[in-house]
Amino acid sequence: NKNYEFALTAVLNDIGLNRSDARMVNIDKQDGLYYVSFRTDWQKYEAYVDAQTFQVLGLNFMPAGEVPMDEIDYIVATVVA
């Protein structure tokens, strides 16, 4: 779906990454929002994108180590528009 790619592109542009940087991409749509998650060599990203405007409404990122998510005690940053 082309809109799924638009949502991913909006997130990548917001954080200054190229499409080739994103691996393990997952995009779901629910309640007027796209939930976009992916990882790079160093970070894991999760974002919410408005399905109408493709504005990034929220972004979380954390180190992409091998530690299971339930063992991480913090989130490095959360950005909400």
Side-chain angles (χ1 to χ4, degrees), residues 29-34 49-51:
K29 183 181 177 189
Q30 186 174 358
D31 299 327
L33 295 174
Y34 288 103
V49 178
D50 184 285

Side-chain angles (χ1 to χ4, degrees), residues 14 18 23 31 39 41 61 63 69-70:
D14 206 56
N18 296 316
R23 298 189 326 263
D31 299 327
R39 66 184 297 153
D41 289 339
F61 58 95
M69 293 305 294
D70 58 351

Side-chain angles (χ1 to χ4, degrees), residues 4 7 26-37 47-49:
Y4 281 50
N26 183 41
I27 305 172
D28 295 312
K29 183 181 177 189
Q30 186 174 358
D31 299 327
L33 295 174
Y34 288 103
Y35 169 74
V36 180
S37 64
Y48 291 94
V49 178

Side-chain angles (χ1 to χ4, degrees), residues 11 14-15 45-48 56-61 77-80:
V11 175
D14 206 56
I15 56 180
Y45 294 90
E46 298 174 336
Y48 291 94
V56 178
L57 302 177
L59 173 67
N60 294 326
F61 58 95
T78 300
V79 179
V80 178

Side-chain angles (χ1 to χ4, degrees), residues 1-78:
N1 184 325
K2 210 170 223 182
N3 286 339
Y4 281 50
E5 276 298 317
F6 288 151
L8 175 60
T9 299
V11 175
L12 293 171
N13 288 343
D14 206 56
I15 56 180
L17 294 175
N18 296 316
R19 176 63 178 93
S20 60
D21 296 324
R23 298 189 326 263
M24 298 174 55
V25 176
N26 183 41
I27 305 172
D28 295 312
K29 183 181 177 189
Q30 186 174 358
D31 299 327
L33 295 174
Y34 288 103
Y35 169 74
V36 180
S37 64
F38 62 92
R39 66 184 297 153
T40 64
D41 289 339
W42 304 104
Q43 300 283 344
K44 293 180 185 179
Y45 294 90
E46 298 174 336
Y48 291 94
V49 178
D50 184 285
Q52 298 275 325
T53 65
F54 295 99
Q55 179 182 3
V56 178
L57 302 177
L59 173 67
N60 294 326
F61 58 95
M62 61 211 75
E66 297 300 320
V67 178
M69 293 305 294
D70 58 351
E71 292 182 21
I72 293 179
D73 294 331
Y74 62 93
I75 292 180
V76 173
T78 300

